[in-house]
Amino acid sequence: AAVSAQLVTSTTISKERKQKGDSGMFVELGVGALKDIDGLALDLGLGYRKVFTPNIAWDILKLKAAANLDYLSETISPQLLTAVRGTSPEFAGMTAFGSIGLGYGYHIDGENGGFAYEFQAGLNVLPRLSVAFTYNRQSMSNNGWDYNFTFIGAKVGFKF
């Protein structure tokens, strides 16, 4: 009887692919209105999002500014926010999300600032593209007068 030996070799190559839920920079552009001020308002933001799970993320830092286009110098208000973001399981190729952000805003023309917060609810329509309804409010006090700066609108976000 003949004895034969067979040598079997196997090589496995694996490469990690970047998942759509990875952490990274994002930019948002909002269009809407400032409460009690007629005209179109814009809201522009840039930030960094840390994704912990497919359903929970932290917008570590978001620098944004909103202003009414008709009264730009009188209404521009930059803000620095941090936010928690929850995302739903996938449905129809999309996911829904909601977030709440807290931070500080400064009204340049009024030369004062105060507590700011933002609520967002929307859809991640593509892995890196989202649309959302946004409510943002900043509280301020000046010479004994308390007032608020409120932006309400729709945002489009892009994640890098």
Side-chain angles (χ1 to χ4, degrees), residues 130-157:
S130 65
V131 293
F133 168 78
T134 300
Y135 179 87
N136 180 288
R137 187 171 180 142
Q138 178 179 322
S139 300
M140 294 167 281
S141 182
N142 192 5
N143 296 324
W145 291 90
D146 294 332
Y147 62 102
N148 296 302
F149 182 87
T150 304
F151 173 84
I152 301 169
K155 279 190 182 179
V156 174

Side-chain angles (χ1 to χ4, degrees), residues 91-111:
F91 61 93
M94 300 182 287
T95 57
F97 72 88
S99 71
I100 180 168
L102 307 172
Y104 180 82
Y106 187 78
H107 182 216
I108 294 174
D109 190 55
E111 296 182 352

Side-chain angles (χ1 to χ4, degrees), residues 20-155:
K20 55 184 165 181
D22 284 348
S23 302
M25 298 291 296
F26 64 89
V27 64
E28 297 174 333
L29 174 62
V31 177
L34 296 178
K35 186 177 177 201
D36 300 327
I37 301 174
D38 291 335
L40 184 67
L42 291 182
D43 182 306
L44 180 63
L46 176 68
Y48 182 82
R49 180 170 300 133
K50 172 68 177 157
V51 176
F52 295 105
T53 72
N55 304 102
I56 301 195
W58 175 27
D59 291 353
I60 296 173
L61 193 61
K62 177 164 66 169
L63 176 61
K64 62 182 284 309
N68 182 291
L69 294 180
D70 293 334
Y71 306 98
L72 187 64
S73 65
E74 295 94 344
T75 60
I76 193 161
S77 183
Q79 295 178 349
L80 199 54
L81 301 171
T82 187
V84 176
R85 182 180 177 106
T87 302
S88 75
E90 190 170 318
F91 61 93
M94 300 182 287
T95 57
F97 72 88
S99 71
I100 180 168
L102 307 172
Y104 180 82
Y106 187 78
H107 182 216
I108 294 174
D109 190 55
E111 296 182 352
N112 60 15
F115 175 71
Y117 62 92
E118 180 174 78
F119 297 108
Q120 287 191 50
L123 292 173
N124 294 307
V125 293
L126 295 172
R128 301 204 178 277
L129 183 69
S130 65
V131 293
F133 168 78
T134 300
Y135 179 87
N136 180 288
R137 187 171 180 142
Q138 178 179 322
S139 300
M140 294 167 281
S141 182
N142 192 5
N143 296 324
W145 291 90
D146 294 332
Y147 62 102
N148 296 302
F149 182 87
T150 304
F151 173 84
I152 301 169
K155 279 190 182 179

